[in-house]
Amino acid sequence: MKKPKSRCPRVVFALFAVFALLASFNSAGEINVRATGGPTVPSNIRLTPPAPVFTDKERIAELSQRRERVAQSVGPQSFLVLFSTEPRVYTNDVDYPYRQENNLYYLTNLKQKGATLVLLPGNTKIREILFLPRRNALAETWTGHMYSADEAHQISGIREIWQANEFDPFIKALRNRQPYRPKPENIFKSDLPLDMPLTNDHGYTTLFDAAAKGEAGIHLLVPGSNESREYKYEQRFASEWAQTASGFSVKNAWPIFTQLRLVKSPMEVRILQHAIDISIEAHQRAWAGAADAKWEYEVDAIVAYTFKLRNADNWGYPDIVGCGPNATTLHYIESQGPVKPTDLLLMDVGAEYDHYTADVTRTFPINGKFTPAQAEIYQVVYDAQEAVARASKPGATLSDVSRAGTEVIKDGLLKLGLITDRNSMQHRLWFMHGTSHWLGMNVHDVGGGARIVPGVVFTNEPGIYIRPEALDQMPPGWKQEDWEKFKATVRPAFEKYKGMGVRIEDDLLVTADGVKWMTEALPRKINEIEEFIAKARRQSE
């Protein structure tokens, strides 16, 4: 009988390979170059710094201050209700990944489904109540851990926690101007005696007296009069309340949160900066690897890998990775086009970390070198960015800074021969959006038409997009004769720049005397981008 070969050498080799691979990782989790070859990270890529860490005391103090500021805005004659996000169905019995409603998270840091927060500013005994689902062993087997009352308290600092199914009877009692307290077994946590009898008003006098006079209010997130895609439940609840409760008017809580969330605290700035730092690393890794890509999705995969590697919650918006003509579509998210060495690639990608999202765009040449025509378009956009930053001072509005950038775009387009009249709306054919929007828990965050003050964060993102079909259809508002004349005049320039899309986007934090570029670590000038790509790719060979 033939003697079987020993497997020991294979086992030893396999173990050696595993140990060699593990040893190749450095403290940052990157793979170093080994003598045997393998992947490497170019030294000029800026690795994401460690995530910010806050003590329980710091976090709870921040959340308590936020809730107190909201309570002051609500006032003692009203109360506030915030509902958690309803799970969204992806298909059949599969949900989308759960993300907590921003304002509830802003006040609690809780990610639990089915949670509800009530603030009672005028109550002398209980000023805030968290309604929380009771833990369920079977549910936890399938979908994971649920908060205990102690955990929810440790995260949020809230001391009055009731079972979630007590919310409906509680609300019914308030509607009828009656105090309410659950049975002891449904009070998970409280500073008051669990069996305290309902022999007094339980601190509701101010609220109920106001309701008796028709002066009380319930604050809810009810944006606008049209049906909201995100706040349908709140709108239904508000409608039912208005029909069944007397003495309480429904008030929109959005202005309160818009004012509070617009100006970022030092803690928020640190979290947002981390999201931006993750995004910067993703951009730089993509620049280094784009030369080897054949398709846009390969570049997008580098971004997704980096977000996961750095523990980002998700992207703040679907990645935009568009090469050549695809870069001229503002919200191009398919990432299915080819990557050609002679084209520009526009990347608008931003990581979300702890509910705060970055928003960063760069446009770079796949082969690492801008052509003269590409550089001409790019420089106009760059100069517009500089104008936006100069105009970004306390007291200005986003409309003010957008006009500053637009004026530079107009001058540049006229010089390039892409428009014939800078005092018209011709530039909207090539630059059809504003330069700025507020940034924070949403990529297009709350703030509206507020003025710029220290502590706000917004984007600086001019662009020029020479869509290949731009001259095929006359835009609304033009006269045919004028359109034909315009096309004939700009045709040579159009053919020169056709198919190019350039956007540069940075995130600006307003200070007392100007702005801080939170994205300053990501190269922006033409020569800086070319030098970075050249060095990164040399080191990757």
Side-chain angles (χ1 to χ4, degrees):
M1 185 174 68
K2 187 174 180 181
K3 183 178 180 182
K5 294 182 179 179
S6 171
R7 295 185 181 182
C8 289
R10 293 186 182 183
V11 172
V12 171
F13 178 80
L15 289 173
F16 176 81
V18 170
F19 287 131
L21 180 61
L22 292 174
S24 70
F25 283 88
N26 63 26
S27 60
E30 308 298 343
I31 300 178
N32 299 316
V33 182
R34 309 295 294 177
T36 55
T40 181
V41 177
S43 63
N44 62 335
I45 287 180
R46 180 179 184 269
L47 303 184
T48 303
V53 177
F54 309 103
T55 65
D56 289 345
K57 182 178 180 181
E58 291 172 326
R59 186 185 63 258
I60 290 175
E62 172 99 0
L63 296 173
S64 297
Q65 289 175 359
R66 294 176 187 176
R67 293 197 296 271
E68 182 58 33
R69 292 170 66 190
V70 171
Q72 291 175 3
S73 297
V74 169
Q77 295 185 323
S78 298
F79 67 103
L80 169 86
V81 179
L82 292 181
F83 299 104
S84 55
T85 299
E86 295 181 271
R88 266 64 170 184
V89 176
Y90 173 70
T91 180
N92 194 23
D93 60 350
V94 178
D95 287 346
Y96 282 100
Y98 187 76
R99 185 182 187 278
Q100 185 60 276
E101 196 280 321
N102 277 333
N103 301 292
L104 180 59
Y105 190 80
Y106 182 74
L107 297 187
T108 67
N109 273 187
L110 297 173
K111 299 181 178 182
Q112 179 70 59
K113 301 176 185 178
T116 302
L117 176 67
V118 174
L119 298 186
L120 300 155
N123 195 299
T124 57
K125 291 183 172 63
I126 302 175
R127 287 173 56 85
E128 51 191 24
I129 305 171
L130 174 67
F131 293 86
L132 194 69
R134 187 183 294 276
R135 293 185 66 186
N136 182 302
L138 180 60
E140 291 191 38
T141 298
W142 287 93
T143 58
H145 180 72
M146 300 169 66
Y147 293 135
S148 68
D150 286 339
E151 289 169 330
H153 164 67
Q154 184 179 11
I155 294 169
S156 68
I158 297 173
R159 307 182 67 85
E160 191 76 23
I161 304 177
W162 298 356
Q163 184 173 332
N165 62 12
E166 293 291 346
F167 176 74
D168 286 343
F170 166 79
I171 282 295
K172 182 178 180 181
L174 288 195
R175 185 186 295 123
N176 296 324
R177 284 173 284 187
Q178 297 173 350
Y180 181 82
R181 188 155 179 81
K183 295 179 181 179
E185 60 266 27
N186 290 337
I187 300 175
F188 295 156
K189 193 172 190 65
S190 179
D191 287 337
L192 300 175
L194 298 184
D195 57 352
M196 184 173 65
L198 283 173
T199 57
N200 53 38
D201 70 352
H202 272 59
Y204 291 95
T205 299
T206 301
L207 179 65
F208 291 164
D209 285 352
K213 299 174 184 177
E215 298 173 353
I218 175 173
H219 287 255
L220 297 161
L221 294 173
V222 283
S225 57
N226 297 325
E227 185 176 73
S228 169
R229 292 186 298 172
E230 188 173 358
Y231 295 94
K232 291 180 182 179
Y233 183 81
E234 285 80 355
Q235 289 178 324
R236 291 196 301 268
F237 184 91
S239 177
E240 293 171 1
W241 179 276
Q243 295 172 16
T244 59
S246 61
F248 293 87
S249 61
V250 175
K251 299 183 178 181
N252 188 1
W254 269 108
I256 297 173
F257 288 99
T258 294
Q259 181 180 14
L260 294 183
R261 284 172 46 194
L262 179 62
V263 178
K264 305 300 186 289
S265 70
M267 181 178 290
E268 290 180 280
V269 171
R270 289 179 62 189
I271 296 171
L272 181 54
Q273 183 64 67
H274 189 63
I276 291 170
D277 289 338
I278 295 172
S279 307
I280 289 172
E281 181 178 349
H283 274 271
Q284 292 186 343
R285 284 176 178 268
W287 296 4
D292 297 324
K294 302 300 182 191
W295 300 95
E296 293 162 344
Y297 58 76
E298 298 176 65
V299 181
D300 193 17
I302 299 173
V303 175
Y305 165 77
T306 308
F307 287 1
K308 279 292 186 182
L309 181 68
R310 299 306 176 205
N311 200 31
D313 298 330
N314 204 338
W315 38 248
Y317 51 93
D319 297 344
I320 299 171
V321 179
C323 189
N326 288 335
T328 67
T329 298
L330 300 184
H331 288 171
Y332 171 78
I333 61 173
E334 288 81 1
S335 298
Q336 293 295 307
V339 172
K340 300 179 180 180
T342 57
D343 282 345
L344 294 175
L345 191 145
L346 186 153
M347 286 182 51
D348 186 342
V349 300
E352 178 182 292
Y353 183 83
D354 199 16
H355 263 248
Y356 288 81
T357 179
D359 191 1
V360 187
T361 306
R362 288 294 186 270
T363 308
F364 65 95
I366 294 297
N367 63 12
K369 191 73 175 177
F370 288 90
T371 67
Q374 291 170 346
E376 288 170 350
I377 294 289
Y378 189 96
Q379 191 61 47
V380 174
V381 178
Y382 178 93
D383 292 342
Q385 258 206 320
E386 292 292 293
V388 167
R390 289 192 297 269
S392 300
K393 298 178 181 179
T397 66
L398 294 189
S399 295
D400 295 333
V401 304
S402 184
R403 278 192 295 272
T406 299
E407 291 305 306
V408 174
I409 294 286
K410 288 181 179 180
D411 289 337
L413 291 174
L414 184 65
K415 183 178 180 181
L416 296 177
L418 287 165
I419 62 174
T420 61
D421 181 3
R422 75 169 312 282
N423 296 318
S424 70
M425 297 299 290
Q426 292 179 4
H427 69 282
R428 300 297 288 175
L429 190 64
W430 316 117
F431 175 43
M432 61 293 295
H433 60 80
T435 65
S436 304
H437 57 78
W438 305 114
L439 188 66
M441 299 185 89
N442 286 333
V443 65
H444 297 126
D445 208 27
V446 297
R451 291 195 175 273
I452 293 172
V453 295
V456 302
V457 180
F458 60 92
T459 62
N460 178 358
E461 53 171 322
I464 294 176
Y465 314 91
I466 315 301
R467 292 172 292 114
E469 68 282 1
L471 299 184
D472 294 345
Q473 294 183 354
M474 183 174 69
W478 284 69
K479 295 180 180 179
Q480 189 67 45
E481 181 181 356
D482 294 337
W483 175 242
E484 295 300 329
K485 183 178 179 180
F486 172 81
K487 287 197 300 181
T489 304
V490 304
R491 178 68 69 178
F494 172 75
E495 295 297 333
K496 178 180 180 181
Y497 303 113
K498 183 169 64 175
M500 295 184 194
V502 173
R503 181 165 66 252
I504 317 171
E505 180 177 19
D506 288 86
D507 302 335
L508 306 183
L509 169 66
V510 177
T511 63
D513 54 0
V515 294
K516 174 188 176 184
W517 295 67
M518 299 181 75
T519 41
E520 63 184 348
L522 187 60
R524 191 166 57 94
K525 295 180 180 178
I526 289 175
N527 66 303
E528 292 174 346
I529 291 174
E530 292 180 340
E531 290 170 3
F532 177 93
I533 292 175
K535 182 176 180 180
R537 291 178 181 175
R538 283 197 305 269
Q539 294 179 352
S540 297
E541 293 176 353

